[in-house]
Amino acid sequence: MIAAPLARADGQDTTAKPTVDSLAARLESLERSVTLLREQLAAQAASGAGTRSRSALEFSGRVLLNSFINYGRSNNLDVPTVAVASASSYQDKSAGATVRQTILSVTAQGSKLWGADASGFVEVDFFGGQQTGAGGRKLFPEPRLRFMRATLAWANAELMVGQDVPLLTPIEPVGIASLGSPGFAVAGNLWFWLPQVRATVNLGESGPVHWALQGAVVAPWSGGDVIAGDADAADIGERQRTPTLQARLRARWGEDEMRGEVGLAGHYGRMGTSGDSALTSSAVALSWQLPVAGWLDIRGEAYTGQMLRGLGGGGAGQNFGVDAGGAPIPLRDTGGWLQFNVKPDASWTIGAGCGRSEPNIDDRPSRTRNDACESHVIWRPGGLPVIGLEYRQIQSTYRTAGFARTQQLNLTVGVEF
């Protein structure tokens, strides 16, 4: 029989306890650690960027090197949108690399105004032009403002002033080879980033779907057309002195990778001509982003209207056709784009799509159609690096000169942060 250990007669516990000196040493060590942590946090706060309003700042961006090989002539070597007829066999091929599609962004948030969450966003790239000479795009890329938004967000409404995509067609294709001009520009994607005031009002929910009504007052713009002999060289949209109006009914559901959206929108503007006469720019459009599954995304837009060059290449980059007598007339146009993106895992995005802008042939446009197709693979192995490979083909059809075709293979290497 095994006897149990006997308790001490005085009833004291024999388990070891920390001494007073041991507790004091631990407390001193903890105080030193807290002091060091405070010093480190103070140094980080002193060296970090801040705002006068003490709002939280977030910096993000993409540093990208785009290298390319072209077969066929186009309007732009690194991001072609229109094919141009060949001049000689030598000019049909080109290759190069640029960093001017690098993007830098700043977001500020955390302030309150009139009961709303106030935030600001600015994004720039280096696609603003190039110095004279063939090396200009490589050696002297010029900064360009892409987006600028100041937003007030309430529980059921939002007000934004700044520069943004057209409310008519706000969804953009996926890709990193065509950022200076988004994918399918002049081939069904109305994308110009224009100054505007935009309001959104939530209409309520229908099951998982959130409905909203949006409206925008947009700076008038035709895309650069001017009245012959105008001493000010004012754009014909600015010459009319009235803003463009856009409205959209939006349905949205889901979150993160499964967030979907469908919108039906309208556009109306006026373009000034000689004297007091004016022409109408108008359109209706349907846009969608459909997460069929966590690994498959289908997105696109379709529109019909007239005089849409000022929204980003509508009318295959034209506002006017000509009548039988050769006089300019508003050019009617139908277009759109469709893209499929597959994500087999978090690192890979594989996709393809096509777009088309097809002016009404009865309006006798100079360019009767512009088609663009692309396929892409994007790899984000984790952390900062990103690598993308894209192939695109553009075919432009001309009323009196047949068609021209250009092809590009683009390799993009960079980091995202």
Side-chain angles (χ1 to χ4, degrees), residues 320-330 363-364:
F320 295 98
V322 294
D323 62 18
I329 58 174
D363 295 337
R364 299 169 59 85

Side-chain angles (χ1 to χ4, degrees), residues 115-200:
D117 293 325
S119 63
F121 177 76
V122 177
E123 182 172 280
V124 298
D125 61 17
F126 298 87
F127 209 79
Q130 59 191 42
Q131 299 292 325
T132 303
R137 74 172 61 84
K138 293 190 284 290
L139 302 180
F140 307 102
E142 297 181 358
R144 177 187 65 167
L145 177 66
R146 292 166 60 91
F147 302 110
M148 179 180 288
R149 308 186 194 106
T151 304
L152 295 177
W154 293 268
N156 294 304
E158 181 178 286
L159 178 66
M160 185 277 291
V161 298
Q163 179 167 297
D164 208 343
V165 296
L167 184 59
L168 180 74
T169 48
I171 294 175
E172 295 290 357
V174 173
I176 60 173
S178 184
L179 298 174
S181 297
F184 313 120
V186 198
N189 184 10
L190 305 179
W191 63 275
F192 270 179
W193 309 312
L194 295 172
Q196 59 188 276
V197 178
R198 180 185 298 182
T200 301

Side-chain angles (χ1 to χ4, degrees), residues 5 60-61 75 128 147 160 165 188 198 215 218 225 247 251 277 303 318 324 336 350 362 394 401:
S60 60
N75 62 327
F147 302 110
M160 185 277 291
V165 296
R198 180 185 298 182
V218 185
D225 287 330
S277 60
Y303 68 86
Q318 306 158 106
I350 304 170
D362 293 335
I394 299 170

Side-chain angles (χ1 to χ4, degrees), residues 384-402:
L384 297 178
V386 58
I387 300 173
L389 183 66
E390 178 176 313
Y391 168 80
R392 78 183 77 175
Q393 176 177 287
I394 299 170
Q395 179 169 303
S396 304
T397 306
Y398 296 86
R399 180 164 55 91
T400 59

